[in-house]
Amino acid sequence: MMRLIKLQILLNLILVSKYFVFAGRTDWSVEKNAGFWNEQARLSIEELLQRRDNTRLAKNVILFLGDGMGLSTVTAGRIRKGQIKGQLGEDFVTEMEQFQHLGLAKTYNIDAQTPDSAGTATAYLCGVKAQSGTIGVDGRTTRGDCRSSIGANVSSILDWAQQAGKKVGIITTTRVTHATPSAAYAHSANRDWETYDSKSFGANETKQGCVDIAYQLLSRKPAIDLIFGGGRRSFFPNTVNDVEYPNKKGYRTDNRSLIDEFWKGQYIWNRNQMKQVTLGSPTPLLGLFEYNHMLYETDRNKTNNDDPPLSELTKFAIEHFLAMSKDGFFLLIEGGKIDHGHHMTSARYALDEYVELDNAIGQAKHTLKEKGMLDDTLMVVTADHSHVFTFGGYSWRGSNILGFASSNSLNVSEIDHLPVTIINYGNGPNFPAPRNATYLSSLDTNSSAYLSPAAVPLEDETHGGEDVPVFAQGPWSHLFIGTMEQHTIAHKMAYAACWGVYKNRTGCLTSARTVTPVAKVTQRSKTNTASSSNSISFFSLIIFYFACLFHH
């Protein structure tokens, strides 16, 4: 009798685990069984008990930055990615959610309750909080005041890595002179001083001792080893036609072509040229794939544009650096247009950008694992700030995240008796959103042209002020737990890699020579949408049950 009971337990475990370990369901009927949830919890605990802190030296550090990727975007993006794959979506597990450690970061600037991307980038890249709109300078600098920035420069983790002999790179879907990437290399009292255009920046600022951001990037010594993104217009004179769009010209009014004047490495501007680059070539590589920002991923897919997607750029950069040097690297990888989609209240744009950022994270994990470098690489995923983006309504499980709420009597407003949209914004351009049956029935909420309703009228939707998630995996990833000040992210990454002021911390010399054993927690592949258990813990339980079954 006991043997039959144990056999039944084993069969139940296998039955439940079939739906649990390989999560990503197309229906939720299995969830009606209480045993499903009990086993899910048990396997989750089993995985956590197997974890051990990885305290080896972080040979490589990759920071993934989802610009504007607040908690509501992570959740809605998870559902969107699952539904793209034909699943319900809510139980889908994204690549970033598979990281071992999770915390929250406070995003305020020292002068602002709700932050901007420049002050926050200075925090998580340079390790100090700053005033809103300022880049790579400390809190003495006021936005737009050149003189206040003189002598206020701060260095970044990219600098610290380069000083330690590491290869360094920046990948972004925005202009390479935009707020996030520029904080890694530039110092500016105004994030808008991207180029010498005689409007935002010109002779007056130059006389006061300031330099535009594009100039700082290409005149930098030593050069950054790899720079990928958009923004060709900031580097060419306003008398020069763009190479891809002949009807557009450069922005510079100082008649300087910075790439011709300063760049000593290889310059490319399209995907085909990138494919021809020799991996591991020691010369610096500059890829400016668009005149302005890179295209939205949604539009890139529709137009079959020649711009490489973020996941492809990520794969190239990692393989390039690993072929170039065995001494390690630092990469900043930004999904910058999540933010742009939200500012428009175009949830389709924002969530599809989130999905591609998550694809890039999965690609990084896969490439590092293939090269045997996964356990030596600290990967951190976070955001600079959130948005006033929300989703709700009482929808049935699996409802189209971009559509209307769908749960019987709760799918309409009790006030005007019309359908309720799942996604809404606290403020933004689509105010007041029309509320009549004819208009609502004509909407294609899946379209990027559709703008979600906003509660307060503004030309552009604003950032949100709440904390943002910090996901971490790899050496010293256990430092990224709890609620933290955003500027500590740079310090924790540097501590893990023994860079900057942490180069001589206790353990740096010994960790460079010895390897601390890491718990054998299997990293789920990009296509495996497992929930909070992994194959090791599952098969450990299977072995345990077999042992019990045949013990007597």
Side-chain angles (χ1 to χ4, degrees):
M1 176 62 71
M2 181 60 67
R3 182 166 295 183
L4 289 175
I5 292 174
K6 290 176 179 177
L7 179 60
Q8 185 61 51
I9 291 173
L10 176 61
L11 292 174
N12 287 341
L13 176 63
I14 294 173
L15 177 63
V16 172
S17 297
K18 176 178 69 173
Y19 295 98
F20 171 50
V21 177
F22 304 101
R25 291 177 285 283
T26 56
D27 71 80
W28 47 270
S29 58
V30 66
E31 297 175 5
K32 296 179 181 179
N33 187 333
F36 168 85
W37 300 109
N38 293 334
E39 288 300 331
Q40 185 182 77
R42 179 173 183 151
L43 293 174
S44 176
I45 292 170
E46 176 70 16
E47 177 191 10
L48 292 172
L49 291 174
Q50 290 189 52
R51 288 185 179 178
R52 299 293 182 271
D53 291 342
N54 179 348
T55 57
R56 66 174 69 183
L57 177 73
K59 194 169 186 178
N60 314 303
V61 177
I62 304 177
L63 175 61
F64 293 92
L65 195 286
D67 197 314
M69 187 186 71
L71 284 170
S72 55
T73 300
V74 171
T75 309
R78 170 205 305 151
I79 296 172
R80 172 66 178 161
K81 189 170 184 180
Q83 291 182 348
I84 289 173
K85 295 179 176 293
Q87 302 168 10
L88 292 171
E90 294 84 0
D91 62 299
F92 188 83
V93 181
T94 60
E95 298 291 347
M96 66 183 73
E97 291 173 315
Q98 295 173 36
F99 280 19
Q100 288 189 345
H101 295 100
L102 171 65
L104 293 172
K106 300 178 183 180
T107 63
Y108 65 91
N109 299 142
I110 63 173
D111 64 333
Q113 187 177 74
T114 298
D116 93 308
S117 296
T120 51
T122 301
Y124 60 76
L125 288 172
C126 302
V128 299
K129 290 220 172 195
Q131 293 200 48
S132 178
T134 64
I135 291 287
V137 288
D138 64 29
R140 293 172 290 172
T141 302
T142 301
R143 183 172 187 172
D145 183 351
C146 174
R147 289 189 176 90
S148 71
S149 69
I150 304 301
N153 291 359
V154 291
S155 57
S156 74
I157 189 168
L158 185 142
D159 297 318
W160 310 336
Q162 204 164 35
Q163 290 162 6
K166 312 301 178 182
K167 299 302 178 183
V168 294
I170 297 171
I171 302 173
T172 180
T173 53
T174 68
R175 296 187 296 269
V176 296
T177 52
H178 211 236
T180 296
S182 64
Y185 62 82
H187 312 283
S188 180
N190 194 333
R191 58 175 289 177
D192 295 332
W193 293 351
E194 293 186 50
T195 188
Y196 193 114
D197 60 3
S198 298
K199 295 177 182 178
S200 296
F201 184 95
N204 182 55
E205 290 75 23
T206 301
K207 288 178 183 177
Q208 294 178 40
C210 288
V211 182
D212 69 85
I213 293 171
Y215 186 100
Q216 291 186 57
L217 174 59
L218 292 198
S219 63
R220 175 189 172 94
K221 293 180 181 179
I224 296 172
D225 298 291
L226 181 146
I227 308 162
F228 282 165
R232 287 191 299 266
R233 70 187 195 185
S234 295
F235 299 90
F236 293 99
N238 60 354
T239 56
V240 174
N241 295 328
D242 183 72
V243 65
E244 186 175 10
Y245 308 102
N247 61 327
K248 297 181 179 181
K249 295 182 183 294
Y251 266 30
R252 302 194 68 87
T253 56
D254 59 358
N255 200 35
R256 303 184 80 164
S257 179
L258 300 186
I259 293 176
D260 295 329
E261 185 174 349
F262 290 110
W263 191 247
K264 306 305 180 185
Q266 187 173 359
Y267 168 61
I268 61 175
W269 61 270
N270 61 52
R271 194 178 194 177
N272 185 55
Q273 290 176 336
M274 187 181 79
K275 291 178 179 178
Q276 295 174 17
V277 173
T278 302
L279 289 176
S281 174
T283 57
L285 179 60
L286 172 64
L288 299 178
F289 299 102
E290 275 296 330
Y291 172 77
N292 192 3
H293 299 299
M294 302 277 273
L295 297 184
Y296 283 107
E297 182 66 13
T298 311
D299 294 341
R300 192 191 67 81
N301 283 329
K302 286 180 181 177
T303 60
N304 196 29
N305 183 273
D306 195 38
D307 293 351
L310 188 62
S311 53
E312 185 176 327
L313 294 173
T314 298
K315 181 177 186 290
F316 176 95
I318 294 174
E319 291 182 341
H320 183 58
F321 278 172
L322 291 179
M324 185 189 301
S325 170
K326 302 301 181 184
D327 293 330
F329 63 82
F330 170 76
L331 263 177
L332 168 63
I333 301 174
E334 182 196 20
K337 291 178 72 68
I338 299 171
D339 176 74
H340 296 180
H342 280 323
H343 279 308
M344 296 170 59
T345 67
S346 174
R348 170 68 187 276
Y349 272 150
L351 296 185
D352 284 359
E353 291 298 310
Y354 167 89
V355 169
E356 179 55 20
L357 173 64
D358 196 61
N359 290 341
I361 295 166
Q363 181 63 69
K365 289 197 292 187
H366 176 79
T367 304
L368 289 166
K369 185 175 182 180
E370 188 177 60
K371 303 295 183 181
M373 293 300 296
L374 186 60
D375 287 335
D376 294 303
T377 303
L378 172 63
M379 289 187 286
V380 179
V381 181
T382 189
D384 44 1
H385 54 73
S386 184
H387 275 267
V388 290
F389 163 83
T390 185
F391 73 97
Y394 297 103
S395 296
W396 289 125
R397 178 76 173 276
S399 296
N400 175 14
I401 189 64
L402 299 173
F404 292 93
S406 58
S407 55
N408 293 344
S409 62
L410 298 177
N411 67 342
V412 296
S413 165
E414 301 92 332
I415 296 174
D416 64 9
H417 308 291
L418 291 171
V420 175
T421 49
I422 293 174
I423 289 175
N424 299 279
Y425 286 85
N427 55 50
N430 194 19
F431 176 94
R435 293 286 296 172
N436 63 74
T438 301
Y439 171 76
L440 293 177
S441 64
S442 70
L443 292 177
D444 177 8
T445 59
N446 293 310
S447 169
S448 57
Y450 165 71
L451 302 183
S452 299
V456 177
L458 285 175
E459 287 187 4
D460 292 303
E461 178 265 4
T462 72
H463 299 166
E466 70 270 22
D467 299 349
V468 295
V470 185
F471 302 92
Q473 173 180 300
W476 297 95
S477 61
H478 53 287
L479 296 179
F480 297 85
I481 61 173
T483 300
M484 68 196 78
E485 290 285 1
Q486 191 172 44
H487 75 285
T488 65
I489 293 172
H491 290 267
K492 291 172 180 178
M493 292 188 294
Y495 184 95
C498 296
W499 297 343
V501 297
Y502 303 99
K503 63 183 179 181
N504 294 321
R505 69 163 173 84
T506 302
C508 282
L509 295 178
T510 55
S511 61
R513 293 193 300 263
T514 62
V515 174
T516 302
V518 182
K520 295 181 179 179
V521 178
T522 300
Q523 301 300 327
R524 305 177 193 101
S525 69
K526 186 176 181 180
T527 56
N528 180 7
T529 58
S531 61
S532 60
S533 178
N534 58 62
S535 58
I536 292 292
S537 57
F538 169 62
F539 286 111
S540 295
L541 283 177
I542 291 293
I543 293 170
F544 169 76
Y545 276 108
F546 269 117
C548 291
L549 181 64
F550 299 111
H551 179 67
H552 295 293

